[in-house]
Amino acid sequence: MTAADPSGRRGASTFVAWIGLLFLLLPIAVVVPVSFTPNRYLSLPVDGWSLRHYEAIVSEAAWRSSVGDSLLVGASATVIAVVLGTLCAVGCWRISSRLSEVMRFLMLAPIIVPSIVHALGFYQAWVQVGLIDTYAGLIIAHALKGMPYVVISVSASLANFDLRLEQAARNLGATVTQAMYRVVVPCIRPGILAGAVFAFITSWDELVVTMFITSRRVYTLPKKIWDGIQDNISPSVAAMATVLIVVTLIGIVAHLLTSRRRQDAT
């Protein structure tokens, strides 16, 4: 009986894992076929397949501009979030006191507090300073929401950093700035890159704050998809979702291949 228990638990865990995986993948199994429907409304391609909705997201100016706005805002917000988040993580690491722990906890507020609360706060603040429906206002808001992920990832990298490396650089004549940029930063680069990825994804996927502080001048992709669902449910939304899924899969495969090549090289 005791010998059968571990296998039974593994079987139950495997079953639950497959159920969870299917729950996540079943929407994709519906979205992808719907994107190839020849009809103007959401439906499965029963009578035939068509690429008309993929042509629409390429030819329509609204789709192109929304993608461009999302890339611009996401890239700019990521740069700001990486710089500020890395400085915050390094500063807390340098101080290494109860105050630094409090600062790290406060940096988690954008993750803990619901997005609707952020949206109301940003709206009230941006109205006062004239940043409503501006690229600068949206970039700053997205940067503040993405910065906690940078702080977390960089702090995790700094926790594994060997202080003796920096001390050796200082003993060899390097200044504080040189030791930071030539020793510390290269060692924590994986954490910085991971934080940048999370910050960009946060900006790319952000909708609630975007809807509160923008109208028509700044029109990101999530807002375009939301308006398409509210005004006219077009299969073009499914086509764009399929494109995003394919791009994500390509990025994952490229990362796996790059990691394998690095492991083989070492």
Side-chain angles (χ1 to χ4, degrees):
M1 181 176 179
T2 56
D5 286 343
S7 61
R9 292 177 181 178
R10 285 196 297 269
S13 300
T14 303
F15 176 75
V16 173
W18 276 108
I19 293 297
L21 182 61
L22 290 175
F23 178 78
L24 295 174
L25 293 180
L26 281 178
I28 298 177
V30 176
V31 169
V32 175
V34 167
S35 65
F36 292 99
T37 181
N39 302 318
R40 295 183 178 179
Y41 52 88
L42 293 178
S43 62
L44 293 174
V46 178
D47 299 329
W49 298 74
S50 175
L51 296 175
R52 57 180 297 183
H53 303 294
Y54 289 92
E55 295 176 357
I57 63 177
V58 175
S59 60
E60 292 183 9
W63 283 108
R64 296 198 306 270
S65 63
S66 65
V67 173
D69 285 353
S70 289
L71 290 174
L72 174 62
V73 173
S76 303
T78 299
V79 172
I80 298 175
V82 167
V83 173
L84 296 181
T86 302
L87 292 176
C88 179
V90 173
C92 292
W93 174 66
R94 288 287 191 187
I95 297 173
S96 187
S97 63
R98 184 173 299 179
L99 178 60
S100 64
E101 296 300 325
V102 173
M103 287 299 300
R104 287 195 186 97
F105 177 77
L106 292 177
M107 287 302 303
L108 297 179
I111 301 177
I112 300 173
V113 178
S115 296
I116 187 67
V117 178
H118 294 152
L120 291 172
F122 281 127
Y123 179 79
Q124 292 294 332
W126 277 197
V127 166
Q128 301 296 326
V129 296
L131 290 178
I132 291 294
D133 200 23
T134 62
Y135 286 98
L138 188 60
I139 288 171
I140 295 173
H142 284 194
L144 293 177
K145 287 184 66 66
M147 190 165 57
Y149 298 99
V150 181
V151 174
I152 293 173
S153 61
V154 174
S155 297
S157 296
L158 288 170
N160 298 321
F161 177 73
D162 191 351
L163 287 172
R164 292 174 298 181
L165 297 175
E166 184 184 14
Q167 294 172 358
R170 295 294 307 277
N171 291 334
L172 292 174
T175 62
V176 176
T177 303
Q178 290 174 339
M180 176 62 62
Y181 285 99
R182 296 186 179 183
V183 178
V184 178
V185 171
C187 291
I188 64 173
R189 186 175 299 161
I192 297 176
L193 294 178
V197 171
F198 281 109
F200 182 81
I201 293 175
T202 301
S203 175
W204 181 270
D205 196 47
E206 172 57 45
L207 176 61
V208 178
V209 173
T210 303
M211 292 181 63
F212 268 76
I213 64 176
T214 62
S215 57
R216 290 293 177 183
R217 183 180 177 185
V218 184
Y219 201 59
T220 60
L221 182 59
K223 192 174 181 181
K224 168 61 179 174
I225 294 175
W226 175 261
D227 290 344
I229 295 175
Q230 293 295 314
D231 299 336
N232 180 23
I233 303 179
S234 171
S236 297
V237 175
M240 178 57 70
T242 303
V243 171
L244 295 177
I245 292 171
V246 172
V247 171
T248 302
L249 291 177
I250 292 174
I252 293 174
V253 172
H255 174 70
L256 293 176
L257 292 176
T258 303
S259 300
R260 181 173 297 180
R261 289 179 180 175
R262 289 178 180 176
Q263 292 177 357
D264 295 339
T266 56

